[in-house]
Amino acid sequence: MKEIAKILIFGGGLLLVLGVVVYFLGDKLKWFGNLPGDIRIERPGFSFYMPITSMVLLSVVFSAVIWLVRKLF
C-alpha cells in the first residue's frame, strides 16, 4: 500500500508542477498544438483537430524524463 501512496504523491506533485508551468507560461506555449503535422480541419458546422506532431514531441519528452528518473534512482 505504501508503494501506491508514493506513486500517487509523485503523480500529484507532477500535476501540480505542470499546472504552475502552464499557468505562468501559458502565453509562451502557444506554438504547442500548432506544429507542422498537426491536422486541423475546419468547415461550417464541423471542426476536427488531431495534434499528431505535438503528441509525438510530448511523448519523446516524457520518455526522456522517465528514463532519466529511472537512471538516477
Side-chain angles (χ1 to χ4, degrees):
M1 202 61 147
K2 287 185 179 184
E3 291 298 320
I4 294 173
K6 288 180 184 179
I7 292 171
L8 287 173
I9 290 170
F10 179 74
L14 188 64
L15 282 175
L16 179 68
V17 169
L18 183 63
V20 168
V21 167
V22 169
Y23 182 77
F24 287 111
L25 299 176
D27 56 339
K28 305 265 191 286
L29 298 174
K30 288 184 180 179
W31 57 269
F32 188 76
N34 294 320
L35 296 172
D38 291 344
I39 299 171
R40 181 183 312 256
I41 301 172
E42 294 180 10
R43 296 192 179 142
F46 178 75
S47 179
F48 178 75
Y49 178 64
M50 184 178 228
I52 295 173
T53 307
S54 298
M55 292 300 106
V56 168
L57 179 65
L58 196 61
S59 176
V60 168
V61 169
F62 281 151
S63 294
V65 168
I66 290 171
W67 180 81
L68 281 173
V69 168
R70 291 185 70 189
K71 198 71 161 165
L72 296 174
F73 299 103

